[in-house]
Amino acid sequence: MATLTVRKLQTFPAEISVPGDKSISHRAALFAGMAEGRTVIDGFLPSEDCLCSVKAMEAMGAIVEPLEERPGVGLVKLAITGRGPKLQAPAGPIDCGNSGTTMRLLAGILAGQDFSAEMFGDASLSRRPMKRIADPLRLMGASVEGQGEKICAPLTIRGGSLQPITYTLPMASAQVKSAILLAGLYAPGTTTVIEPVATRNHTERIMSHFGLRWQRDGDAVSVEGGQVARATDLVVPGDISSAAFWLVATAAAPGRELRLTNVGLNPTRTGVLDVLRRMGAQISVRELSSAGEPRGDILIRASDLHGTVIGGAEIPNVIDELPILAVAGALAQGVTRIQDAAELRVKETDRIAAVAENLRRMGAHVTEFDDGMEITGGAPLHGAVIPTFHDHRIAMAFAIAGLFAEGETVIEGPECIQTSYPSFTRDLAGFFLA
C-alpha cells in the first residue's frame, strides 16, 4: 500500500494557488456536453472525479479537445463541443469512478434521453445511496433501477416522456436538487425543487451562464422545460474546499500568514471562513472582478484558536470542510461541537466515524454522536498511522493534522487524493522538509 509521510511543520509558503473548483468543473463539463456549440473551460480541475464527468459526456457524443496541460497538475484547459440536449446512446456502461456528483447529476440528464444507459462506480460509490435521486426521477416518469433498498450503483436509467413535478427534498442536497433541475429541462412546464435549507447554487449559476432561465422564490427553485443550453466559455475559480486545508494549517501556526489566490467566493460555499473567524482566525478577502462565480484572494493570519459550535443551517455550506474543521477543533483550546451533520455518514466513507477514529489515534479527545462529534481541543497530537478509508478529504485533513503532531504521521492510501486535488502533495511540501 502506498503511503504519505508527514512531519511536523518546519517551513511556510507565502502564497498558494489552489486548483479549480470541483463542483463547478463537474457542472461545466456536463452542461457543455449537452449544450449547442463549443465551450472552452479554463481553470478546469483535472481530478479523477471531474474527468469522469468529461468522459461520460464524451461517451455520449460530445467532442473533447485538450488545450492546456500544466506540469504536476494535468489538463486545466479544454474545449467541449456539445451534442445539444439529445445525446447519443453510449457504447457501454458509464464509469463514474468515485464521483457521486457525476452519477447523480448525470442521472438527471439521462432521465430525459430516449435510450437506456447504465452507470457504475468503484466500491465506495457503489455503497452510496441513490434512492434520493431515484425517487423524484421515477415520479417524473423515468425508470431507475439499482441495487437493494438504497438503490445503489450500478444504476440503469431508461429515459421517458418526463412530466414536471414539485418536489420537497427530504434532505439538504445540492446534488439531488441539481439532478431534478436537469431532468426538468426535458419536461414540459415548470419543475420546482423545495429545499429544507439553502444548498450550494453552482447549478443555478451555471444554468444562467449557458442561457437557461430559472427562478428562486424563497426555498423553491424552478426551471422551465424545453430550454436549450447555448455554448459559452467560462473560467473556473480555485476551490475553497481545497483552500480550507491551508486555511486551517495557517490559522493554527503561530506567527504565520498565507495568501490564497483566485479562490471561489460563492456565498453558499464560504461558511468555512465564518467558522474559522468564530474560532479566532484573522481573515481578510480581496474580491476580484468576475463575470461569473465570485472570486478573490484570501489572506489569513494565525491566532489563538478556540472552540465553537458548527451546526444548523450552516451545515450544507460547510459539509465538505467538516473533516478539516474537526482537525481545527483538535488544535484549538476548548470544545468544538459538530452537530446536525448526519449526512457525513453517507459520503465517500462514514466521515463521522473516520474523523473520530483518526483524531483518537493522534491523541485527541473525541465523543462521537449520530449526527456529529464533540472535540476537546488542546491535547498534544502525536504521529500515527492514519487509514484514509479511500476518502480524499480524510487523507488531506489528517495530512494537515500531521503538521502539528510530534513524530511522523503516515497516511495510508493517499492515492485517493487524486479524486479532488492532484497537486496536494506538491503544495504540502511547502510546509515541511522531507
Side-chain angles (χ1 to χ4, degrees):
M1 177 186 293
T3 60
L4 170 64
T5 299
V6 182
R7 298 173 180 85
K8 195 166 185 178
L9 185 147
Q10 298 178 49
T11 63
F12 212 88
E15 183 175 290
I16 290 179
S17 178
V18 293
D21 188 283
K22 184 168 177 275
S23 295
I24 300 171
S25 294
H26 274 300
R27 288 159 173 79
L30 295 173
F31 276 89
M34 60 185 285
E36 292 185 341
R38 181 176 183 268
T39 296
V40 174
I41 305 169
D42 197 359
F44 180 78
L45 172 66
S47 69
E48 290 177 354
D49 274 12
C50 295
L51 289 172
C52 282
S53 289
V54 172
K55 291 172 184 175
M57 300 312 288
E58 190 173 31
M60 292 187 289
I63 299 171
V64 179
E65 306 168 60
L67 298 179
E68 182 184 341
E69 295 261 357
R70 189 168 298 163
V73 178
L75 181 66
V76 296
K77 187 175 183 180
L78 68 160
I80 298 178
T81 302
R83 284 271 306 182
K86 290 299 183 181
L87 306 175
Q88 70 182 31
I94 296 172
D95 185 359
C96 297
N98 186 247
S99 178
T101 301
T102 301
M103 183 168 285
R104 289 179 175 139
L105 271 62
L106 192 59
I109 297 172
L110 290 173
Q113 306 303 317
D114 57 4
F115 54 78
S116 177
E118 180 181 325
M119 295 186 290
F120 70 98
D122 66 10
S124 172
L125 183 57
S126 297
R127 291 191 295 269
R128 298 181 69 179
M130 296 298 155
K131 186 176 186 297
R132 53 183 58 186
I133 56 165
D135 288 347
L137 294 180
R138 286 168 173 171
L139 287 174
M140 297 180 78
S143 170
V144 183
E145 302 299 329
Q147 315 306 307
E149 292 183 4
K150 294 182 179 180
I151 319 296
C152 294
L155 296 182
T156 299
I157 298 182
R158 186 172 296 105
S161 298
L162 301 184
Q163 297 300 314
I165 60 172
T166 296
Y167 190 77
T168 300
L169 294 179
M171 79 296 292
S173 171
Q175 292 179 356
V176 180
K177 173 182 68 173
S178 299
I180 299 168
L181 293 176
L182 281 162
L185 293 171
Y186 296 91
T190 304
T191 292
T192 300
V193 179
I194 301 171
E195 300 185 278
V197 296
T199 62
R200 58 184 61 179
N201 65 358
H202 296 305
T203 294
E204 295 96 307
R205 284 178 174 271
I206 211 161
M207 283 197 297
S208 295
H209 192 81
F210 280 89
L212 301 168
R213 300 179 306 279
W214 57 277
Q215 290 184 327
R216 175 171 281 279
D217 183 8
D219 296 332
V221 183
S222 301
V223 67
E224 293 294 323
Q227 300 183 71
V228 177
R230 307 294 180 186
T232 180
D233 298 347
L234 59 88
V235 178
V236 180
D239 196 323
I240 196 166
S241 294
S242 297
F245 299 104
W246 315 123
L247 290 170
V248 170
T250 308
R256 305 290 191 172
E257 70 175 37
L258 176 70
R259 184 178 301 278
L260 293 148
T261 60
N262 191 37
V263 180
L265 296 174
N266 184 308
T268 64
R269 293 284 299 284
T270 54
V272 63
L273 302 181
D274 298 331
V275 172
L276 288 174
R277 284 178 176 130
R278 284 206 309 269
M279 297 181 77
Q282 301 177 50
I283 299 172
S284 60
V285 173
R286 182 175 70 91
E287 295 187 8
L288 305 173
S289 60
S290 173
E293 291 270 356
R295 69 190 71 208
D297 295 343
I298 301 172
L299 179 66
I300 181 165
R301 295 182 177 89
S303 185
D304 293 327
L305 297 182
H306 52 78
T308 190
V309 176
I310 309 169
E314 73 179 333
I315 288 295
N317 194 311
V318 297
I319 193 71
D320 287 339
E321 293 76 57
L322 289 176
I324 188 59
L325 287 173
V327 170
L331 298 173
Q333 295 297 317
V335 174
T336 294
R337 185 181 179 100
I338 298 171
Q339 59 194 32
D340 308 314
E343 183 72 8
L344 285 178
R345 293 207 182 269
V346 292
K347 290 291 187 178
E348 283 83 339
T349 189
D350 180 340
R351 286 181 175 164
I352 293 175
V355 169
E357 175 182 336
N358 285 336
L359 283 176
R360 291 189 191 107
R361 283 175 177 241
M362 299 186 76
H365 303 299
V366 185
T367 302
E368 182 179 336
F369 305 108
D370 289 343
D371 67 343
M373 67 192 79
E374 188 172 274
I375 306 150
T376 302
L381 300 184
H382 54 75
V385 175
I386 299 294
T388 63
F389 306 97
H390 309 290
D391 188 320
H392 55 122
R393 300 202 191 278
I394 299 298
M396 290 185 283
F398 284 90
I400 299 303
L403 295 176
F404 298 90
E406 293 297 333
E408 292 186 344
T409 300
V410 179
I411 310 295
E412 294 185 325
E415 59 274 7
C416 60
I417 294 171
Q418 296 296 314
T419 63
S420 68
Y421 195 159
S423 57
F424 175 81
T425 53
R426 183 196 66 185
D427 290 341
L428 181 68
F431 289 81
F432 70 94
L433 301 175

